[in-house]
C-alpha cells in the first residue's frame, strides 16, 4: 500500500492523506470541500403582547418619587405625601421582574417618609413651645456702663 503521492503543483513526494503540500503550500483539495463545522444561527423571539422583562415602570416611578420626596422633605407634608405615593408604587412594582428599582423605591420612600415625619414633628414641637427670648442673656448698654461705673 502506498503512503506517498506526488504533488501536482511542485512534484515533491507528500503524504497520501495530505490536503496541502508542505513544500509549495498549495491546497490539494479545495478548502470549500473540506468538512468544516457548520455554524447555525439561533433566533430567540420574545412574546410581543406580554410585559417586557427588561422594565419595571412602577418600581422605577416609585424610586424616582422616593428620591424627590427625600429632596423635598423639608416642605411640610410634601415629603410624606410623595414618599407615600412612591412607597405604594414601589410595593406594586415588587410583583414584576426585575425587582431592583422596586426594592430601591421601597427603601428610599420609607426613608423619605421617616425624614418628613421627624421634620414635621420637630416643627410642631417648636411651634407649640411658644416664643423664645433670645436676648434674655444679653446686657443692655446702660447695664454695662453701670457695671463698669462709667
Amino acid at each position: 500500500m502506498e503512503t506517498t503521492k506526488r504533488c501536482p503543483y511542485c512534484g515533491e513526494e507528500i503524504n497520501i492523506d495530505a490536503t496541502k503540500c508542505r513544500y509549495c503550500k498549495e491546497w490539494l483539495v479545495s478548502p470549500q470541500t473540506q468538512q468544516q463545522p457548520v455554524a447555525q444561527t439561533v433566533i430567540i423571539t420574545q412574546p410581543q403582547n406580554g410585559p417586557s422583562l427588561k422594565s419595571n415602570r412602577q418600581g422605577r416611578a416609585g424610586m424616582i418619587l422616593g428620591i424627590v420626596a427625600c429632596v423635598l422633605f423639608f416642605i411640610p407634608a410634601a415629603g410624606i405625601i410623595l414618599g407615600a405615593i412612591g412607597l405604594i408604587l414601589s410595593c406594586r412594582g415588587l410583583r414584576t421582574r426585575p425587582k431592583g428599582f422596586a426594592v430601591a423605591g421601597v427603601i428610599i420612600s420609607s426613608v423619605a417618609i421617616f425624614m418628613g415625619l421627624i421634620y414635621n414633628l420637630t416643627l410642631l414641637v417648636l411651634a407649640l413651645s411658644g416664643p423664645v427670648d433670645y436676648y434674655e442673656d444679653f446686657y443692655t448698654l446702660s447695664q454695662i456702663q453701670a457695671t463698669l461705673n462709667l
Side-chain angles (χ1 to χ4, degrees):
M1 179 178 225
E2 292 185 37
T3 59
T4 61
K5 66 178 178 180
R6 289 210 173 266
C7 174
Y9 299 104
C10 66
E12 293 289 332
E13 290 286 326
I14 56 172
N15 189 346
I16 198 163
D17 295 328
T19 56
K20 189 175 185 180
C21 178
R22 66 180 189 162
Y23 298 105
C24 66
K25 308 293 186 215
E26 289 289 332
W27 286 99
L28 304 175
V29 178
S30 65
Q32 291 82 12
T33 60
Q34 292 180 359
Q35 292 183 356
Q36 301 224 357
V38 177
Q40 293 181 347
T41 303
V42 177
I43 298 173
I44 300 172
T45 59
Q46 292 184 353
Q48 297 294 328
N49 53 357
S52 173
L53 296 175
K54 293 184 180 180
S55 69
N56 186 348
R57 292 182 182 184
Q58 288 181 339
R60 188 180 308 144
M63 185 187 72
I64 291 171
L65 278 175
I67 292 170
V68 170
C70 280
V71 171
L72 299 178
F73 80 95
F74 59 89
I75 299 174
I80 297 171
I81 293 170
L82 289 175
I85 295 170
L87 185 63
I88 291 168
L89 286 174
S90 296
C91 287
R92 290 183 67 187
L94 287 174
R95 299 182 204 152
T96 310
R97 289 188 169 268
K99 297 182 182 194
F101 285 130
V103 171
V106 167
I107 294 169
I108 294 170
S109 297
S110 300
V111 168
I113 291 171
F114 179 74
M115 288 177 10
L117 285 173
I118 295 299
Y119 183 77
N120 285 322
L121 287 175
T122 304
L123 288 179
L124 183 65
V125 167
L126 289 176
L128 294 177
S129 66
V132 177
D133 186 12
Y134 293 106
Y135 300 106
E136 65 186 22
D137 292 335
F138 292 103
Y139 293 102
T140 62
L141 182 59
S142 60
Q143 289 173 333
I144 293 173
Q145 289 174 345
T147 305
L148 296 175
N149 294 325
L150 294 178

